[in-house]
C-alpha cells in the first residue's frame, strides 16, 4: 500500500519567528524585537500610513523658534516587572532619557502613561511608581504630565508604561546614524548583554553561578562628558532591542558604509558568555539598557575613550572596530581564529519582553 503524501511545506503560522511582515498576515512577537521584522513593520506599514520620510533615529531633533529640541517616546512591557538591578519603573525613565541622549540632547521633561490590568496589586504598582520617580530624580528630569488607563483582567500583564521626553540639543552638535564615515572608530561604553540575561534569568528561574544584574542607567551624563572633549561625535546609539548587532546594522545601512568589529575586543562578561552558551544565544544580539555605541573620527578616538573611561558609566569602554569602505550596509566580525563572519540584523526576537 502506498504511503500517503506528506506536505513538506512548513506551517509558517506555527513558527516562533515567522517570515517578515510581507509574508505574515498577523503580528507576532518578533515584530517587536528591534530586528528585521520590526524594520519591515515600520517600513511597509507605519511609514506609508503616516506619510513619513527621513532617517529613523532614537529621537527626533526639531527646530522650535530657533531652538533645537529633541523629542522621543518609548513604551515598556518588560516581564517580570522587577528584576535584578531594576524594574519597569527604572526602564521607563532611563530608556527615554537615553533615546534623547543619543542625539546629544540634555533631557529636561518626561511624560508618563500607565496601562494597568484590573486586579494588579496597589502595593506592586506603588513600588513601580516609586522606582520611576526615583529614577527621574537621579536623572535630573521632571515628570510633568501623565495618564492612566485600566484594561480588563486577562487583557494586560499587570503594568505597561509609556514615557515621552523633551530635551535641548547644544549648538553645533549633529549626531545621527547617517553621519557614520569610513575610518570612524567604533566604541562601546562597557560590558554588553547584561540586561537581557538578567531579565531572562529572573523570568525563567535560571541560575548561572552568580547573579547577573541589569545595567539599566541614564546615559546623558556620559554623553555630555564625551561631547565636552570637543570631538565631532558622528553617531550614538544605545543597543537595546536586538543588541549590539541590530544597532550596528541599522547604522551601516542608514549611512551606506561597512562596519568591521573585532570579536575579542567586544567586552562580554564571563557570566553573560556562559549563559548565552548554555541557552544557544549570541551576546551580540542580547539587549542592553545602560550602554552606548559611538562612532567618532579616528583622530578623536583616544580622547573620547579617555573621557568615557573617566565616567562611572563608561569605565569599561573599549574600541571594538571601525567603519570600512568594503561591504557597505553590512557588519562583519573578525573572529579569534582569524576569519570573518557576517553579523546580520536579527530576524525576530531572541528574548521577548525585556524592555
Amino acid at each position: 500500500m502506498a504511503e500517503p503524501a506528506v506536505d513538506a511545506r512548513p506551517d509558517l503560522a506555527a513558527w516562533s519567528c515567522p517570515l517578515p511582515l510581507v509574508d505574515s498576515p498577523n503580528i507576532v512577537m518578533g515584530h517587536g524585537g528591534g530586528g528585521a521584522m520590526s524594520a519591515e513593520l515600520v517600513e511597509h506599514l507605519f511609514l506609508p500610513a503616516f506619510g513619513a520620510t527621513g532617517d529613523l533615529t532614537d529621537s527626533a531633533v526639531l527646530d522650535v523658534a530657533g531652538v533645537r529640541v529633541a523629542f522621543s517616546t518609548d513604551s515598556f512591557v518588560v516581564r517580570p516587572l522587577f528584576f535584578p538591578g531594576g524594574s519597569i519603573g527604572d526602564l521607563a525613565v532611563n530608556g527615554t532619557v537615553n533615546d534623547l541622549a543619543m542625539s546629544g540632547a540634555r533631557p529636561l521633561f518626561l511624560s508618563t502613561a500607565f496601562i494597568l490590568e484590573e486586579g494588579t496589586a496597589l502595593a506592586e504598582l506603588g513600588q513601580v511608581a516609586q522606582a520611576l520617580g526615583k529614577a527621574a530624580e537621579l536623572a535630573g528630569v521632571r515628570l510633568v504630565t501623565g495618564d492612566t488607563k485600566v484594561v480588563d483582567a486577562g487583557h494586560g500583564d499587570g503594568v505597561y508604561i509609556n514615557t515621552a521626553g523633551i530635551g535641548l540639543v547644544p549648538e553645533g552638535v549633529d549626531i545621527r546614524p547617517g553621519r557614520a564615515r569610513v575610518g570612524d572608530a567604533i566604541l562601546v561604553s562597557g560590558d554588553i548583554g547584561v540586561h537581557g540575561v538578567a531579565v531572562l534569568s529572573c523570568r525563567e528561574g535560571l541560575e548561572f553561578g552568580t547573579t547577573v544584574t541589569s545595567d539599566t542607567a541614564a546615559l546623558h551624563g556620559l554623553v555630555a562628558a564625551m561631547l565636552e572633549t570637543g570631538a565631532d561625535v558622528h553617531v550614538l546609539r544605545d543597543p537595546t532591542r536586538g543588541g549590539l548587532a541590530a544597532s550596528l546594522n541599522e547604522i551601516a545601512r542608514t549611512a551606506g558604509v561597512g562596519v568591521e568589529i573585532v570579536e575579542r575586543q567586544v567586552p562580554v562578561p564571563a557570566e553573560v558568555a556562559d549563559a548565552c552558551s548554555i541557552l544557544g544565544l549570541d551576546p551580540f544580539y542580547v539587549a542592553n539598557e545602560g550602554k552606548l555605541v559611538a562612532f567618532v573620527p579616528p583622530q578623536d578616538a583616544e580622547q573620547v575613550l579617555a573621557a568615557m573611561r573617566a565616567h562611572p558609566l563608561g569605565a569599561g569602554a573599549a574600541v571594538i572596530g571601525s567603519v570600512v569602505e568594503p561591504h557597505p550596509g553590512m557588519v562583519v566580525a573578525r573572529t579569534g581564529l582569524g576569519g570573518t563572519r557576517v553579523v546580520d540584523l536579527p530576524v525576530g526576537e531572541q528574548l521577548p519582553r525585556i524592555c
Side-chain angles (χ1 to χ4, degrees), residues 63-252:
D63 188 297
V64 181
V67 178
R68 296 175 72 215
V69 175
F71 176 63
S72 184
T73 187
D74 206 346
S75 298
F76 301 86
V77 297
V78 64
R79 179 173 58 85
L81 299 179
F82 303 91
F83 45 83
S87 71
I88 192 172
D90 305 312
L91 292 184
V93 170
N94 295 338
T96 296
V97 164
N98 291 345
D99 284 346
L100 295 171
M102 295 307 107
S103 64
R106 178 169 63 92
L108 296 175
F109 307 109
L110 295 180
S111 71
T112 180
F114 284 78
I115 310 296
L116 308 175
E117 182 184 10
E118 182 184 23
T120 299
L122 284 175
E124 189 171 61
L125 177 59
Q127 287 181 275
V128 171
Q130 289 289 332
L132 192 150
K134 182 63 175 178
E137 180 183 357
L138 290 174
V141 296
R142 290 176 54 198
L143 295 163
V144 294
T145 189
D147 182 49
T148 303
K149 294 292 189 296
V150 177
V151 298
D152 297 335
H155 291 269
D157 199 359
V159 179
Y160 299 152
I161 302 176
N162 171 273
T163 49
I166 295 174
L168 295 180
V169 181
E171 185 177 352
V173 172
D174 182 16
I175 299 173
R176 49 191 170 84
R179 290 198 67 216
R181 296 290 183 268
V182 172
D184 279 356
I186 303 172
L187 290 70
V188 67
S189 61
D191 291 342
I192 67 165
V194 179
H195 173 74
V197 170
V199 172
L200 181 66
S201 63
C202 181
R203 179 189 301 169
E204 306 298 341
L206 303 175
E207 296 183 2
F208 302 112
T210 183
T211 299
V212 181
T213 302
S214 171
D215 58 348
T216 176
L219 296 170
H220 57 302
L222 175 60
V223 172
M226 296 166 65
L227 295 178
E228 285 171 3
T229 66
D232 180 19
V233 177
H234 288 166
V235 187
L236 291 173
R237 181 61 63 91
D238 58 332
T240 53
R241 296 177 307 161
L244 179 66
S247 292
L248 294 178
N249 272 279
E250 289 166 3
I251 295 166

Side-chain angles (χ1 to χ4, degrees), residues 240-321:
T240 53
R241 296 177 307 161
L244 179 66
S247 292
L248 294 178
N249 272 279
E250 289 166 3
I251 295 166
R253 294 180 184 191
T254 299
V257 296
V259 166
E260 184 175 287
I261 59 175
V262 181
E263 280 190 343
R264 288 181 173 177
Q265 293 176 199
V266 179
V268 180
E271 59 269 26
V272 169
D274 291 344
C276 288
S277 178
I278 293 170
L279 299 170
L281 303 176
D282 185 334
F284 288 4
Y285 294 90
V286 178
N288 312 269
E289 288 292 344
K291 299 297 185 298
L292 64 79
V293 177
F295 285 53
V296 300
Q299 66 271 19
D300 293 333
E302 286 303 319
Q303 63 175 338
V304 172
L305 184 64
M308 294 172 72
R309 289 175 171 172
H311 192 280
L313 295 178
V319 177
I320 62 170

